[in-house]
Amino acid sequence: MSLVDTPAVKRLADWDGDRLERLATEYDTPLYVTDLDRIRENFARFESAFDFAHVMYAAKANTGQAVVRTLYDAGADIECAAAGELYRAIEAGVAPEDLQYTAVNPPDRDLDYAVDLWADTPELTVTAGASMTLDRLEERGFDGRLAIRVNPGIGTGHHEKVATGKDAKFGIPYEEVPELVESARERFEFVGLHAHVGSGVLSGDLDDHRRALQKVADLAARVGDLEFLDLGGGFGVPYRPDEPPLDIEAAAEMVREVTADVDATIALEPGRYLVADAGALLTRVNTIKETPETRVVGVDGGLTSLIRPAMFDSYHHIRNISGGDREPVTSSVGGPLCTSADVFCTDRPIPRSEAKDLLAIGNVGAYGINLASQFHSQPRPAEVAIDGEDERVTRRRETFEDLTRLENEAPGNR
């Protein structure tokens, strides 16, 4: 089977349960497991479908160095939404000329870092989403490759918090772009337009996605003389086990049709599509509590390990690795934090869990470990990357000492 013929989604049931149990035993829990082969497969499938486009990886989905390096080695350039992501990408071995920086209300230190990087690597492209960002770049002596982010006024995606195409925070208002482009052409090496209209787009969202992208493509034709039109990412994956995957060929044909009259390179920035189903979170059951309302299953992972259910009300499939053949019992799975938001699911049928059982949570490769925190003084989890038969720790587990390390190093606490 070639890479492009691999299944469109890796379901949680497809993970080798014996291997996951062994990894949890060897490396403890909570534990992120990242399948690098699956990332390569997803990239090959995406690149094959969008063979007419320049494909970059949207690093914010997962900035782990193993993930970034895997995609870069596979042929993806890297799009970064913050200076720290630029730094992490370079640490992962990405050449600065293969980076694109999309500034969103950038702090001064971010712009300082980006401009210093550009001074040594003039191939770096900076994307600005506010006219003041252009002024701030010019004040720093930047006159290099610049793109302008467009706000088309239409958002798509799985949740209102990711429908960026209609959020005033992101991009220049649509009708103001032509005038700002003329100004940018006088002050910088203006190279393109950029838009990202939402995230988690599946086949049923393609019509809305088309409307948003068509507006941006029409604007690109109106502005003219572009090196590229960057349509962002947003292509989603199914989180529920019975939800069909995105028809990537249909998505590619839609983009091809929308941009048929655009005389510029089409660029895309997939993130979630490449990495989401390549990650699983392993967590161990420590407490079982029967209540009149539900069966409470307490685990050692929590919203500090995976915040998406609390932050976006996101569904993540849960598999009982230890007892998958048991009868399902309506259960609520939650972690060790003192907040009602610390739950992975509520009243969901799950094979009856017992103490010491290993549970796996699926589709955590995107916006999983990147959003982990030390809230409630919880050390962040470790990560193991699997690469064929090979396995390696790519992020060590934090210790209690790590919780106070920065405070102990601060002069005011010595």
Side-chain angles (χ1 to χ4, degrees):
M1 179 183 290
S2 70
L3 287 178
V4 294
D5 293 330
T6 54
V9 60
K10 183 174 182 176
R11 308 284 186 180
L12 190 54
D14 297 329
W15 290 77
D16 183 336
D18 291 340
R19 189 177 195 181
L20 294 179
E21 183 69 65
R22 179 176 55 76
L23 290 173
T25 300
E26 183 171 353
Y27 298 106
D28 204 0
T29 55
L31 178 71
Y32 273 88
V33 181
T34 302
D35 182 348
L36 300 182
D37 277 339
R38 181 61 188 174
I39 291 175
R40 295 186 189 98
E41 292 168 3
N42 289 340
F43 177 73
R45 186 185 321 102
F46 190 96
E47 191 177 42
S48 176
F50 291 93
D51 57 0
F52 57 90
H54 172 217
V55 180
M56 297 176 281
Y57 168 55
K60 68 178 182 292
N62 188 323
T63 53
Q65 291 189 50
V67 170
V68 172
R69 189 179 302 115
T70 294
L71 283 162
Y72 184 61
D73 289 346
D77 286 349
I78 310 298
E79 184 270 338
C80 301
E85 291 179 7
L86 292 172
Y87 176 82
R88 290 181 70 97
I90 292 170
E91 286 287 295
V94 179
E97 58 265 27
D98 296 325
L99 296 171
Q100 180 168 306
Y101 171 46
T102 306
V104 180
N105 299 334
D108 285 343
R109 60 181 175 274
D110 280 35
L111 284 186
D112 291 342
Y113 181 83
V115 171
D116 287 348
L117 184 61
W118 162 78
D120 294 327
T121 311
E123 300 90 344
L124 177 71
T125 300
V126 176
T127 302
S131 59
M132 187 175 287
T133 302
L134 273 63
D135 298 337
R136 295 168 66 202
L137 286 166
E138 191 173 35
E139 290 168 0
R140 288 165 168 77
F142 177 85
D143 61 3
R145 293 172 54 82
L146 182 103
I148 287 177
R149 181 167 182 169
V150 180
N151 186 318
I154 302 174
T156 57
H158 69 92
H159 193 280
E160 62 181 11
K161 290 183 180 179
V162 299
T164 53
K166 63 180 180 181
D167 188 335
K169 175 181 176 181
F170 299 97
I172 306 296
Y174 189 83
E175 294 301 330
E176 297 178 15
V177 171
E179 182 178 354
L180 189 62
V181 166
E182 292 307 309
S183 172
R185 283 181 167 144
E186 296 174 359
R187 302 155 65 189
F188 308 96
E189 182 186 350
F190 177 73
V191 291
L193 294 179
H194 171 282
H196 177 72
V197 298
S199 184
V201 172
L202 293 173
S203 297
D205 306 309
L206 287 180
D207 287 344
D208 287 340
H209 204 55
R210 175 192 287 269
R211 289 192 305 113
L213 296 189
Q214 187 67 65
K215 280 193 71 173
V216 180
D218 291 346
L219 182 62
R222 176 179 163 192
V223 167
D225 192 20
L226 299 174
E227 177 184 314
F228 66 80
L229 172 61
D230 185 343
L231 295 176
F235 300 105
V237 297
Y239 281 80
R240 296 175 184 269
D242 56 351
E243 190 175 24
L246 170 69
D247 184 340
I248 195 66
E249 297 293 341
E253 184 59 27
M254 180 271 288
V255 173
R256 190 192 300 271
E257 292 172 359
V258 163
T259 59
D261 295 330
V262 177
D263 184 17
T265 296
I266 304 304
L268 294 167
E269 304 166 0
R272 184 191 312 270
Y273 183 87
L274 301 181
V275 298
D277 70 347
L281 175 62
L282 306 183
T283 185
R284 189 76 72 179
V285 176
N286 54 48
T287 304
I288 300 292
K289 180 167 58 176
E290 304 285 358
T291 74
E293 297 82 15
T294 189
R295 191 168 200 259
V296 177
V297 178
V299 296
D300 56 9
L303 66 80
T304 51
S305 306
L306 177 67
I307 200 173
R308 292 191 75 253
M311 187 174 184
F312 299 118
D313 195 27
S314 300
Y315 181 100
H316 284 266
H317 190 47
I318 299 176
R319 173 184 169 191
N320 189 332
I321 300 295
S322 305
D325 56 350
R326 300 178 195 150
E327 286 295 316
V329 176
T330 300
S331 305
S332 297
V333 180
L337 309 183
C338 189
T339 168
S340 298
D342 185 32
V343 291
F344 293 125
C345 74
T346 301
D347 297 337
R348 186 187 302 178
I350 296 175
R352 186 179 184 87
S353 299
E354 304 293 349
K356 307 299 183 183
D357 278 358
L358 179 68
L359 304 185
I361 303 174
N363 272 16
V364 301
Y367 309 103
I369 199 164
N370 268 26
L371 288 171
S373 74
Q374 293 180 343
F375 171 62
H376 233 286
S377 293
Q378 295 288 310
R380 283 173 288 203
E383 178 188 27
V384 171
I386 58 176
D387 195 351
E389 297 301 316
D390 295 332
E391 300 161 358
R392 63 182 186 273
V393 176
T394 50
R395 192 184 306 252
R396 71 165 175 83
R397 185 177 307 283
E398 287 185 339
T399 64
F400 286 153
E401 287 77 14
D402 289 322
L403 298 177
T404 57
R405 178 171 53 84
L406 297 180
E407 294 169 70
N408 290 340
E409 292 174 358
N413 285 334
R414 289 176 185 167

